[in-house]
Amino acid sequence: MNMTNLCLYFQIHQPFRLRRYQVFDIGHKHDYFDDQKNREVMEKVARKCYVPATQTILDLVKRHKGKFKVSYSITATALEQFELYAPHVIDLFKQLAETGHVEFLSETSHHSLSFLYDKAEFKEQVALHKRKIKQLFGVTPTTFRNTELIYNNELAKTVEEMGYKA
């Protein structure tokens, strides 16, 4: 009996939250981010979502011995916050990477729309993200996914020229 292949794909993004910044802060304060809020949000979503969901996927991948595979697209901003506030989530993704049955996709590091405005910035962000995935998980992405799945033929040609297979 032939079984239909199904590709599960998960996209993970956590923006850095900005602190209240007043006009009087211009030129005097350069701490733009609300570190406390970033920590609170990441710890909460890690506990309620990322840890249980990722553990479930890891269990399924192990149980089905290569017949269950998934893909993840994780922005560098999410990875940076995992490193800062929830490193145990990174450990779960490392365990997934070690199975060899999980694909990590490339994308822009900051979940940006840079391709629409500045091709050099786009390429720089994609390279930054690719390096981060390699550094954390020991794999080099071969598939590219653009922010909000925005697509056009020029983008496809560009990512092909950058060495991506899909």
Side-chain angles (χ1 to χ4, degrees):
M1 174 169 126
N2 287 338
M3 186 156 216
T4 301
N5 290 327
L6 175 67
C7 178
L8 296 178
Y9 151 75
F10 299 96
Q11 201 279 318
I12 298 173
H13 175 60
Q14 281 295 322
F16 280 100
R17 281 135 189 100
L18 299 173
R19 72 170 185 83
R20 289 173 93 43
Y21 198 80
Q22 299 178 9
V23 70
F24 303 108
D25 294 335
I26 297 172
H28 303 286
K29 292 188 178 181
H30 303 289
D31 55 329
Y32 303 108
F33 299 106
D34 188 336
D35 295 329
Q36 181 177 338
K37 180 58 101 177
N38 288 322
R39 175 182 294 281
E40 289 170 5
V41 169
M42 180 51 76
E43 288 175 348
K44 179 180 178 182
V45 294
R47 184 180 67 254
K48 295 182 93 172
C49 176
Y50 296 131
V51 169
T54 307
Q55 186 63 60
T56 297
I57 296 297
L58 179 60
D59 293 344
L60 287 168
V61 167
K62 287 179 176 180
R63 183 180 332 145
H64 295 286
K65 299 177 176 66
K67 295 185 186 229
F68 181 84
K69 300 178 182 183
V70 298
S71 297
Y72 281 93
S73 183
I74 311 171
T75 63
T77 57
L79 292 169
E80 288 175 37
Q81 289 181 73
F82 287 142
E83 288 178 302
L84 289 169
Y85 310 121
H88 54 290
V89 177
I90 294 285
D91 293 338
L92 283 172
F93 285 119
K94 285 180 180 179
Q95 290 176 52
L96 276 170
E98 289 168 2
T99 70
H101 301 297
V102 174
E103 180 180 20
F104 291 93
L105 310 181
S106 263
E107 65 172 86
T108 58
S109 58
H110 300 83
H111 196 64
S112 75
L113 301 174
S114 58
F115 186 81
L116 300 174
Y117 301 100
D118 186 329
K119 306 304 185 277
E121 173 67 18
F122 170 80
K123 290 178 181 179
E124 188 176 317
Q125 283 194 29
V126 172
L128 178 67
H129 184 265
K130 187 183 223 179
R131 284 192 303 273
K132 190 70 169 173
I133 295 294
K134 175 73 174 170
Q135 173 216 340
L136 288 174
F137 308 124
V139 296
T140 301
T142 60
T143 301
F144 178 81
R145 170 234 179 257
N146 199 23
T147 305
E148 304 306 326
L149 301 177
I150 293 173
Y151 174 86
N152 65 34
N153 290 339
E154 182 184 3
L155 172 73
K157 182 165 178 39
T158 300
V159 296
E160 179 183 33
E161 290 168 353
M162 293 170 69
Y164 290 95
K165 295 182 181 0

